[in-house]
Structure formats: structure tokens, C-alpha cells
Amino acid sequence: MRETKAGATKPAGSPYAMPKTETPQALRQMAENGAAQAKETYEKMSAATAEASNLIQTSCATAAKGAMEYNAKVIEIACANTNAAFDYARGLSGVKSPAEFLEVATEHARKRFDVFSEQTKELAALAQRVASEAAEPLKAGVTKAFRGHLS
């Protein structure tokens, strides 16, 4: 028999003694619960990361496609402007008088201003459309994420 502080003795099989197997069992259960919770959190974060990566990849692909389209339009405009400059030079080469020069120059300037205004509108509209299309996957993903957290 063991002695306690007051000098009293407890029998070995006392009902007050804590069983030795319950403490490790409780710790094991806590560890298993913690591991399961960590695994679940990891899986959720992994899925969210994969979804975010897909959204960014889609957005970048859309932006790259739009940039190619925009660049093609800029090249098309540059070709048209170059051709107009050559046409202007040809027109000037046939000028016989200062009045005719003034007429050709004024006509060219008026046409180029109108064309330039139209080209600027086309490029602005194209840039706005490309930016909107590139942002759409991200916008949809953020909206979906917030709906999931608010529901």
C-alpha cells in the first residue's frame, strides 16, 4: 500500500485511481481529430488554390488573345496610314501650282483627321472590350467565392 500526504494509505486498486489507458486514448483521439481537421483544411485550401490558378490562367489567356487582336488592329491601322501617306506623296508629285498644293494638302489633312478619329475610337473600344473580357473570369470567380462564404 502507498501512503498519502496525510499518512493515510490507499489500496492499490482504489476507485479513485485514474486508469492508465484512458489518458493516452483521449490524447490519441484529440490527435486524430486535429489531423482530420488539418487534412480537411488542406484539401479546401488546395481546391481554392487550384481554382484561383485556373481563373488567373483563363484571364491571362484571354488577355493574351486580346493583346494579339489589339496588336493586329494597330498593324492594320499603321498599314492604312502608310498607304495614305504614299497616296498623299503621289498626289503632291502631280501638283502644278501653289493653289493645287494647298488643295491637295487640305484635303489630305481633312481625310486623315477623320480617319484618325475613327481609328482612335476603334482602338479604344477594342481595348475596353479586351480588358473587360480578361477581367470577366476573375470577376466571376470572386463573385462565386463570396457567394460560397456568404451562403
Side-chain angles (χ1 to χ4, degrees):
M1 293 203 179
R2 293 184 288 159
E3 288 192 27
T4 62
K5 287 184 181 178
T9 60
K10 276 191 194 176
S14 169
Y16 303 111
M18 192 165 188
K20 293 181 182 181
T21 58
E22 284 187 34
T23 302
Q25 180 71 21
L27 289 176
R28 185 176 16 256
Q29 185 63 38
M30 282 176 40
E32 287 174 3
N33 289 345
Q37 193 173 27
K39 182 180 178 185
E40 181 182 337
T41 301
Y42 170 78
E43 288 171 356
K44 285 180 181 178
M45 290 302 295
S46 180
T49 302
E51 187 174 341
S53 176
N54 287 337
L55 289 172
I56 291 170
Q57 187 175 15
T58 301
S59 181
C60 287
T62 303
K65 180 183 171 206
M68 287 178 12
E69 188 177 342
Y70 187 87
N71 287 340
K73 188 64 168 176
V74 167
I75 291 170
E76 177 187 318
I77 288 171
C79 286
N81 292 342
T82 302
N83 289 336
F86 283 124
D87 291 343
Y88 176 59
R90 262 191 299 267
L92 287 178
S93 67
V95 169
K96 305 283 188 225
S97 69
E100 193 177 349
F101 171 79
L102 191 57
E103 183 182 328
V104 170
T106 304
E107 180 65 20
H108 174 75
R110 186 186 57 75
K111 283 182 181 177
R112 295 316 311 153
F113 181 77
D114 291 343
V115 169
F116 179 71
S117 295
E118 189 59 36
Q119 290 170 342
T120 302
K121 287 177 188 175
E122 286 179 39
L123 285 176
L126 181 58
Q128 187 176 11
R129 183 178 59 86
V130 166
S132 178
E133 287 175 358
E136 189 57 38
L138 295 174
K139 181 181 170 186
V142 169
T143 301
K144 180 180 173 187
F146 278 113
R147 281 189 189 141
H149 289 293
L150 296 176
S151 300

